[in-house]
Amino acid sequence: MKKFKYLISGILMLSLVVSGCSKKAEPEVVEEKKITVETMQSVLDDISVETTISGSFKAADEVDVVPKVMGKVTNVSVKEGQVVSKGQVLFTLDSQNAQSAVRNAKAAVENAQTAVETARISMERAEQQYNNAVLNYERSKQLYDAGAIPLTQLEQAELAASPLSLELAKTQYYQAQVAVDTAKGSLSDANIALGDFTVTAPISGTITAVNVNSGNVFGGGPAIKISNLANLTMKVDVSENLIKYFVVGEAMDINVKSAGDTILSGKVKEILPPSQGSLTYPVEILVSNPPSEVKAGMFAEINITTESRNQVIAIPSEAVVVKEGNTIVYIIEKDKAKLISVKTGLDNGKMVEITEGLNEGMEVVVKGQNFLEDGALVSVVKQEE
């Protein structure tokens, strides 16, 4: 009986062992992992390559006001940021000596005019005397011809009728008139010199610098800077391979990022030759009446289109992968990635032209492509066109 029980137990244990061995032998099924990618369709698009040139704005008209004279500043009438009109007084210098010179010049004019009046009276008197002497000579000659007076009396009458005294009086009158003109010229010069002590604005604009103070002695150099901010100029240095895109008088778009990507229209004002040793051309572009948010000193950009293609097969540049020396992209077919060799054309860093290998409307992997192999199972989570 005991032997029978042991036999049954052995059979059961053997069954368990056999059963366990049979389970380990079954193959384990592993599901292939999907790679997450993003795609977009290849499209017909225009592609262009642009070169960006940067520069900064300055006032189109700027004037450094430099007084013609030096001296003590008696009053400053303006401050930075103030808008002034042409001819408006900016500051004054001590003009006591200049005022004295004007007074002396006025006195000289008055004296010269008095001398002219005196010479005029003398000339008129000499003219009257000459006319009387001529009449007396004519009468004396008649009397002499009639034998009524001697020759000596005739000769005395002839001598008295000489025009020398009248000519001398006329010369003195002319010289007095010249003296008046000279004195008036000196007075005009004195007044101009006096005006130099009152410094006025040569143009209308905004005061952008004040380098004088009341009570100080001005010793030379720019005293005040005036900028006409109604118009701005952008100055850029252009390389020789891009200068052909700039033509005087032609319009150009200017992007001011610091003013909210404001696009301004400028006109090429001047193209200067390169300075010695330089390979760039200084170019000045005028912007008339810019909006208030665009100010002098701001930086701006000009984008020059150097090459373009119209209506070509295009995909994002990042979609193209170089693998083992081959240029490839991945497209999606039945939830699998398919490797396709392509040839590329124009690439602007965002979109690239595909000249061979793709047709319009193909679903191309644009993100996750670096983790793919040909035939890999994929999961498309987002698609942008």
Side-chain angles (χ1 to χ4, degrees):
M1 188 68 179
K2 287 182 179 180
K3 290 182 179 181
F4 180 76
K5 290 182 179 179
Y6 290 149
L7 179 61
I8 296 300
S9 298
I11 293 172
L12 290 174
M13 290 179 65
L14 181 61
S15 299
L16 290 173
V17 171
V18 172
S19 175
C21 291
S22 63
K23 287 183 178 179
K24 287 183 180 179
E26 290 180 4
E28 184 177 351
V29 177
V30 179
E31 184 178 355
E32 183 180 356
K33 184 178 180 181
K34 293 183 178 181
I35 299 174
T36 301
V37 296
E38 291 185 15
T39 65
M40 74 169 285
Q41 289 186 344
S42 56
V43 295
L44 282 177
D45 200 2
D46 298 337
I47 298 181
S48 60
V49 174
E50 295 183 339
T51 299
T52 300
I53 301 175
S54 300
S56 60
F57 287 116
K58 63 175 293 186
D61 298 314
E62 280 190 336
V63 175
D64 286 325
V65 180
V66 180
K68 297 179 181 179
V69 296
M70 294 185 291
K72 183 179 180 180
V73 179
T74 57
N75 182 59
V76 179
S77 305
V78 296
K79 59 184 179 180
E80 288 189 19
Q82 181 176 339
V83 177
V84 296
S85 301
K86 182 178 180 179
Q88 183 174 333
V89 174
L90 304 177
F91 65 96
T92 56
L93 300 167
D94 186 0
S95 60
Q96 291 185 9
N97 292 336
Q99 290 176 4
S100 177
V102 170
R103 288 194 295 269
N104 292 337
K106 285 182 178 179
V109 170
E110 292 173 356
N111 292 336
Q113 289 174 334
T114 299
V116 165
E117 184 63 19
T118 300
R120 183 188 64 78
I121 293 172
S122 297
M123 182 184 67
E124 289 176 352
R125 185 182 297 116
E127 188 174 16
Q128 182 65 39
Q129 290 173 350
Y130 171 74
N131 291 334
N132 292 336
V134 169
L135 290 175
N136 183 55
Y137 169 73
E138 290 175 351
R139 285 194 297 267
S140 297
K141 190 174 187 308
Q142 291 175 356
L143 291 173
Y144 174 77
D145 291 340
I149 61 172
L151 178 59
T152 55
Q153 188 173 346
L154 176 62
E155 291 175 343
Q156 289 175 353
E158 184 180 8
L159 182 62
S162 171
L164 293 178
S165 296
L166 176 60
E167 294 300 326
L168 177 61
K170 286 182 178 180
T171 298
Q172 290 175 341
Y173 177 67
Y174 170 76
Q175 291 175 340
Q177 287 181 316
V178 171
V180 168
D181 292 339
T182 301
K184 286 183 177 180
S186 297
L187 176 59
S188 177
D189 292 342
N191 279 321
I192 292 174
L194 177 60
D196 290 339
F197 288 83
T198 299
V199 183
T200 59
I203 63 171
S204 297
T206 302
I207 303 295
T208 52
V210 177
N211 301 318
V212 290
N213 295 300
S214 182
N216 291 349
V217 175
F218 178 74
I224 287 178
K225 176 174 284 188
I226 302 176
S227 301
N228 180 3
L229 302 178
N231 298 319
L232 297 176
T233 56
M234 180 184 179
K235 292 195 172 182
V236 294
D237 292 322
V238 182
S239 61
E240 58 183 4
N241 63 311
L242 294 177
I243 195 62
K244 64 184 177 182
Y245 297 102
F246 292 79
V247 178
V248 173
E250 288 196 356
M252 305 200 79
D253 289 337
I254 301 172
N255 182 14
V256 190
K257 290 186 176 180
S258 56
D261 282 328
T262 299
I263 303 297
L264 304 178
S265 178
K267 183 177 290 186
V268 179
K269 180 181 178 182
E270 187 176 26
I271 300 175
L272 298 176
S275 58
Q276 187 173 4
S278 174
L279 297 178
T280 60
Y281 293 77
V283 177
E284 189 172 294
I285 301 168
L286 176 66
V287 178
S288 301
N289 301 313
S292 58
E293 60 267 22
V294 178
K295 305 182 185 300
M298 285 185 172
F299 286 91
E301 295 179 346
I302 296 174
N303 294 317
I304 304 297
T305 301
T306 57
E307 196 173 1
S308 63
R309 300 277 192 278
N310 295 326
Q311 293 301 289
V312 296
I313 300 295
I315 61 174
S317 300
E318 61 184 347
V320 178
V321 178
V322 177
K323 180 173 285 191
E324 297 178 354
N326 297 318
T327 304
I328 66 163
V329 298
Y330 288 99
I331 64 172
I332 303 300
E333 287 187 352
K334 298 179 179 179
D335 294 331
K336 289 186 178 182
K338 181 178 180 181
L339 182 151
I340 295 181
S341 295
V342 296
K343 289 186 178 180
T344 60
L346 196 61
D347 189 346
N348 62 14
K350 293 182 179 179
M351 298 292 286
V352 60
E353 174 190 8
I354 304 298
T355 59
E356 290 184 16
L358 288 182
N359 296 321
E360 181 185 4
M362 285 185 169
E363 191 176 7
V364 180
V365 178
V366 296
K367 286 189 179 179
Q369 63 273 23
N370 294 315
F371 306 103
L372 294 178
E373 295 290 342
D374 189 31
L377 193 63
V378 297
S379 173
V380 178
V381 298
K382 182 179 180 182
Q383 184 172 356
E384 296 181 355
E385 296 185 0

